[in-house]
Amino acid sequence: MRTQAIRHRHIQLEGHDLFLREAGPPGAPVLLLPHGYPCSSFQFRRLMPALADRWRTVAFDWPGFGYSDTPDPGEFGYDFDAYESVLTAVADHLGLQRYALWLHDYGSQIGLRHAIAHPDRIAALIIQNGDIYEDVLGPKYETIQAYWRNKTTEAHRPLEEAVSEEGFRHEFVGEVNGTVAQRVPPDLWKLHWPLMDTPVRRQVAVGLMEKLEVNLAWFPRYQAYLREQQPPALIVWGPEDGYMPAESARAYLRDLPRAELHLIEDAGHWLLETHFDEALPLVRDFLTRCHA
């Protein structure tokens, strides 16, 4: 078996068709990779084979994203709780008992709900631009917060406009300098937007932005989990991030004082696209020590 090659397949979970990527030896230590917005498991396509000599890596597309199906909203909640149940179902389906968990973007909110529900499963955390501290949210949150304060059609329109090909492009390249932006392949939005450009999927994406308001109430619970459980943690962060600047990364040290923090200069929210060579040795070294 070529364990360093990514294997692609579909699995049936709770009546839904889920697209899965997997690499590495079946018996190796596991790294579970829930993806963020506006992307899919595609965001881990470089990381997975780069770790697969020593680790089993698993990534998948959430319902309503990528190559997974799009259940009727009357049958699936499309909120952070519903997605946590999918994450748990994937781990159960694959027989995963203990694993490191990658926390990025929405995947950080979903992943930490999973960790709270199953603390015995979490061997370590790799935290990459995932926000759980309300007092250090970046200025880009202002558009969403304006809607939370005043739920009018006018205030809602920027959320709808963000769910577009141009909105996706801006999420990937709009915050880093021009040289760094050239490292980001346009495939990330050119290929992903056609998959998202359906009425239900556009509404799912907008709805998740709306539901971030409710998610704020979970921030103290996420922090309490970290403070009480003290999982080994690597914080690898792109500070050029309008939602989650450097202060958002440093805030984790309040609850995880022994965590390793690395701010990668000039990197933004998508550092695996632009600063992969800087991030990979940090990840490999951390995982090696966690599983020594």
Side-chain angles (χ1 to χ4, degrees):
M1 179 186 296
R2 295 182 58 203
T3 57
Q4 288 178 263
I6 298 180
R7 304 179 293 280
H8 309 85
R9 59 190 171 109
H10 289 260
I11 60 175
Q12 295 294 315
L13 283 182
E14 301 178 343
H16 308 310
D17 185 80
L18 218 65
F19 177 73
L20 185 83
R21 304 174 195 258
E22 191 169 4
V30 176
L31 174 61
L32 196 51
L33 298 158
H35 72 80
Y37 168 90
C39 204
S40 67
S41 59
F42 184 69
Q43 76 179 75
F44 297 114
R45 70 197 180 282
R46 295 178 68 189
L47 182 67
M48 296 176 72
L51 296 177
D53 59 321
R54 296 188 60 180
W55 296 277
R56 179 184 178 188
T57 55
V58 178
F60 59 92
D61 296 346
W62 299 117
F65 287 85
Y67 299 123
S68 290
D69 70 5
T70 307
D72 187 288
E75 300 174 358
F76 184 79
Y78 291 109
D79 58 17
F80 295 103
D81 284 335
Y83 282 126
E84 190 283 322
S85 71
V86 173
L87 181 56
T88 298
V90 169
D92 290 346
H93 179 84
L94 297 176
L96 307 181
Q97 299 298 316
R98 191 162 171 82
Y99 34 83
L101 189 61
W102 192 282
L103 303 180
H104 177 243
D105 196 82
Y106 287 162
S108 63
Q109 322 293 346
I110 301 162
L112 282 171
R113 290 187 188 218
H114 177 73
I116 289 169
H118 306 283
D120 56 313
R121 298 188 181 191
I122 307 305
L125 298 175
I126 298 176
I127 306 167
Q128 181 221 330
N129 295 71
D131 50 328
I132 65 166
Y133 294 91
E134 187 174 1
D135 63 312
V136 287
L137 295 177
K140 203 170 178 181
Y141 258 101
E142 173 56 32
T143 299
I144 299 174
Q145 290 168 328
Y147 172 70
W148 295 344
R149 291 191 299 267
N150 185 23
K151 293 183 172 64
T152 64
T153 301
E154 182 178 356
H156 192 262
R157 190 169 297 116
L159 277 61
E160 299 171 10
E161 293 172 350
V163 183
S164 63
E165 182 177 322
E166 178 58 25
F168 282 14
R169 187 196 70 81
H170 183 76
E171 291 294 331
F172 287 111
V173 300
E175 298 177 323
V176 293
N177 67 50
T179 300
V180 172
Q182 290 177 8
R183 304 175 197 164
V184 181
D187 314 80
L188 285 167
W189 62 91
K190 287 290 188 181
L191 297 181
H192 191 55
W193 172 244
L195 294 174
M196 295 299 294
D197 190 16
T198 72
V200 173
R201 287 192 165 198
R202 290 195 303 270
Q203 182 51 50
V204 166
V206 172
L208 282 170
M209 285 187 269
E210 297 168 347
K211 291 163 187 171
L212 283 171
E213 181 180 17
V214 175
N215 190 56
L216 290 177
W218 277 76
F219 279 17
R221 298 176 66 176
Y222 301 150
Q223 296 159 20
Y225 162 79
L226 298 177
R227 190 165 55 250
E228 294 163 7
Q229 297 293 327
Q230 291 296 309
L234 169 70
I235 306 167
V236 57
W237 203 277
E240 302 302 317
D241 188 332
Y243 286 114
M244 306 157 209
E247 291 75 12
S248 297
R250 295 189 185 101
Y252 277 91
L253 299 179
R254 302 172 189 173
D255 299 305
L256 291 172
R258 294 191 296 274
E260 301 175 30
L261 171 62
H262 299 272
L263 298 173
I264 299 182
E265 185 177 1
D266 293 331
H269 196 71
W270 301 96
L271 63 85
L272 290 182
E273 300 295 336
T274 61
H275 293 74
F276 185 81
D277 291 340
E278 291 92 326
L280 180 61
L282 300 173
V283 173
R284 287 186 63 91
D285 176 66
F286 173 73
L287 289 174
T288 297
R289 284 182 283 112
C290 286
H291 296 291

